[in-house]
Amino acid sequence: MEIRLQTEKLEQRILSPYACCSSNSKGRLRPEEPCPVRTVFQRDRDRIIHSKAFRRLKLKTQVFIIPEGDHYRTRLTHTLEVAQIARTCAKVLGLNEDLTEAIALGHDLGHTPFGHAGEQVLNRVYPPGFKHNEQSLRVVDFLEGLNGLNLTHEVRNGILNHTGDNKSATLEGQIVKKADRIAYINHDIDDALRAGILSQSDLPEECLAVLGQRHSQRINTMVLDLLQSSQGKAEISMSQPVQEAMERLRTFMFEHVYIGSEAKKEEDKARHVVEKLYYFYCKNPSYLPAYTMKNVEQEGIERVVVDYIAGMTDRYAVAQYKSLFIPSGFPLG
């Protein structure tokens, strides 16, 4: 018997009735021969890990733009923390860990350079608008590789719905949505404390009384509460006290870190870079790489420019800006 078939039978036997088994996947956009070793969700996870878009996450902003310290989070380390939290939850709840991990690893592939600052600019200058979750789906469906990664319906649905008002069709996708928030609230506090933007005494005591004083305590409280509240249920949820404390802590972070703090002092420059690049490439498409031009006739230059800029790392965007707008020295003989 093929190893994949053995794994599928094991899933059906041991996973929760609410789990999404690999053998019950709704399939891919384009049919493929199954792998003899890996399930469809394991295969999706591997395709994401080996993609260029995944590798670029290591040089994309989480909160601090081009941080000088070695210990600040990037979009890649954020993704890995989300995957860790989500897999832990999936395992305890008897859900499909491979599906959960694939969604978590792919959820931010469409994020722009300079984090949400870059996203805000593209959403403003590009008439149809821009959302990073929709761009993440576009990356795996269309932009990555020769013709997209051809992922399963369940992974694609989880990636698209990891943020916003819509709910993922699977509990595995719902876990990633919760894990994303648990991860970024806590690691952004950790980074802000390291940078001196916050001190421990600044954190709202009413939230800490519920969630814990330390980074690890808060994550532990949130995860254990999610597990207890979701065990044996057809929905992923948290208790009201913990959910409210987490949301109040998130609001605090918006008021003291995400908007107007020292962590954001370079954001106006970052927005300027993204906006200038967008209008320049739209007016001067000959400066775009040749591989991007195949989509211009079908989708228009604006869409192609957005895809190109959204895929940039922070340092590549800065390098392109310098190359296009900053005079370079003339070598003297």
Side-chain angles (χ1 to χ4, degrees):
M1 182 183 293
E2 292 180 341
I3 294 174
R4 173 183 55 81
L5 296 178
Q6 293 177 358
T7 304
E8 290 176 351
K9 287 182 178 294
L10 183 64
E11 286 181 352
Q12 293 170 351
R13 189 168 75 247
I14 69 173
L15 292 185
S16 162
Y18 302 113
C20 181
C21 292
S22 304
S23 56
N24 294 332
S25 171
K26 294 182 180 179
R28 306 182 184 280
L29 294 175
R30 300 181 300 279
E32 294 181 6
E33 283 294 319
C35 175
V37 174
R38 297 168 295 167
T39 68
V40 289
F41 300 142
Q42 290 172 344
R43 206 175 190 183
D44 284 359
R45 174 200 60 202
D46 296 349
R47 289 179 179 182
I48 291 169
I49 288 175
H50 288 276
S51 69
K52 291 181 294 185
F54 184 77
R55 294 195 294 276
R56 290 196 299 268
L57 294 177
K58 67 182 178 181
L59 294 172
K60 290 192 175 189
T61 288
Q62 176 59 28
V63 171
F64 291 84
I65 294 175
I66 315 180
E68 294 183 1
D70 294 334
H71 299 139
Y72 293 98
R73 270 72 173 190
T74 66
R75 191 61 58 177
L76 178 60
T77 60
H78 161 72
T79 294
L80 295 177
E81 292 187 33
V82 173
Q84 178 272 310
I85 293 170
R87 266 200 90 137
T88 296
C89 294
K91 186 177 184 66
V92 174
L93 294 175
L95 301 177
N96 194 313
E97 293 178 63
D98 296 323
L99 171 57
T100 304
E101 185 177 31
I103 295 170
L105 294 176
H107 82 281
D108 269 356
L109 293 179
H111 242 301
T112 61
F114 313 119
H116 289 286
E119 180 176 17
Q120 291 161 3
V121 172
L122 292 183
N123 186 54
R124 173 168 54 82
V125 299
Y126 179 54
F130 180 93
K131 295 181 179 179
H132 77 269
N133 58 314
E134 295 176 356
Q135 187 69 12
S136 294
L137 184 62
R138 182 169 170 82
V139 167
V140 300
D141 278 357
F142 182 62
L143 297 175
E144 186 65 37
L146 295 177
N147 194 23
L149 300 181
N150 197 29
L151 304 183
T152 57
H153 168 81
E154 292 77 15
V155 173
R156 296 173 59 250
N157 176 268
I159 288 173
L160 179 63
N161 295 305
H162 82 268
T163 188
D165 296 330
N166 293 332
K167 184 182 294 185
S168 294
T170 64
L171 294 196
E172 290 83 356
Q174 292 178 33
I175 281 179
V176 172
K177 190 170 188 174
K178 290 287 189 183
D180 183 34
R181 185 159 292 192
I182 291 171
Y184 76 68
I185 289 174
N186 284 289
H187 66 50
D188 291 351
I189 290 174
D190 192 44
D191 280 355
L193 291 171
R194 176 176 293 107
I197 292 168
L198 294 177
S199 64
Q200 182 69 22
S201 61
D202 293 327
L203 300 177
E205 184 55 41
E206 68 274 14
C207 297
L208 303 189
V210 175
L211 302 175
Q213 296 291 327
R214 301 196 313 274
H215 176 76
S216 59
Q217 289 177 330
R218 290 189 289 271
I219 292 180
N220 193 56
T221 298
M222 293 178 188
V223 169
L224 291 180
D225 182 81
L226 182 151
L227 294 174
Q228 185 174 14
S229 300
S230 306
Q231 189 74 49
K233 297 179 181 177
E235 185 176 20
I236 302 301
S237 63
M238 301 174 77
S239 70
Q240 184 175 348
V242 171
Q243 181 73 42
E244 288 180 353
M246 184 175 77
E247 293 304 323
R248 285 199 300 270
L249 201 53
R250 180 174 179 266
T251 299
F252 169 85
M253 290 297 289
F254 270 96
E255 293 173 348
H256 295 84
V257 177
Y258 299 147
I259 299 175
S261 75
E262 278 292 303
K264 299 299 184 179
K265 66 181 181 179
E266 297 296 296
E267 279 197 350
D268 285 342
K269 298 176 187 177
R271 292 189 184 96
H272 176 76
V273 168
V274 173
E275 183 170 353
K276 290 287 284 186
L277 289 176
Y278 175 80
Y279 287 120
F280 178 86
Y281 286 127
C282 286
K283 294 178 181 178
N284 303 276
S286 62
Y287 281 80
L288 290 167
Y291 70 86
T292 66
M293 302 308 292
K294 59 183 175 64
N295 302 322
V296 171
E297 184 175 347
Q298 179 179 351
E299 302 196 87
I301 187 62
E302 293 86 359
R303 176 74 261 183
V304 169
V305 170
V306 165
D307 289 338
Y308 182 50
I309 293 175
M312 291 181 178
T313 63
D314 294 16
R315 72 180 184 184
Y316 185 75
V318 171
Q320 293 303 102
Y321 180 88
K322 287 180 178 179
S323 173
L324 294 172
F325 299 110
I326 306 298
S328 58
F330 188 84
L332 299 176

